[in-house]
């Protein structure tokens, strides 16, 4: 697909900038020694997992090899593991 590398690079650059800015902002929050402001750092370091934080449904899962046609992984799972 023409242009997909450009979109991929722009997305990764955007995410890297946001992570860098977030880490810088967290460093600027007062340390835990100041009890009145300690909750700010604790809340900034929380990782919330919800439907909006998951990868998009259209994103493919990277695999080392293509899927094998007719392969059924459930045949190799032990009864106790199901």
């Amino acid at each position: 697909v023409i242009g997909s590398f450009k979109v991929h690079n722009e997305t990764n650059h955007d995410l890297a900038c946001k992570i860098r800015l977030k880490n810088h902002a967290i460093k600027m929050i007062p340390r835990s020694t100041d009890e009145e402001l300690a909750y700010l750092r604790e809340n900034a370091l929380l990782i919330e997992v919800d439907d909006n934080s998951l990868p998009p449904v259209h994103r493919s899962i990277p695999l080392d090899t293509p899927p094998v046609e007719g392969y059924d992984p459930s045949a190799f799972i032990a009864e106790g593991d199901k």
Side-chain angles (χ1 to χ4, degrees), residues 7-63:
V7 172
H8 171 75
N9 289 340
E10 289 173 353
T11 303
N12 281 349
H13 175 72
D14 184 47
L15 290 173
C17 288
K18 288 177 182 176
I19 290 170
R20 198 175 312 122
L21 286 171
K22 179 181 177 181
N23 288 337
H24 180 70
I26 290 172
K27 285 181 184 177
M28 301 309 292
I29 297 174
R31 294 277 176 197
S32 298
T33 54
D34 188 358
E35 293 179 16
E36 293 179 2
L37 300 175
Y39 75 94
L40 291 174
R41 181 178 287 269
E42 292 171 8
N43 287 337
L45 295 174
L46 284 178
I47 298 175
E48 297 178 9
V49 178
D50 58 4
D51 290 339
N52 294 330
S53 64
L54 299 175
V57 177
H58 68 272
R59 185 177 299 165
S60 61
I61 299 172
L63 301 172

Side-chain angles (χ1 to χ4, degrees), residues 71-78 82:
Y71 176 74
D72 184 18
S74 63
F76 297 96
I77 298 174
K82 287 185 180 179

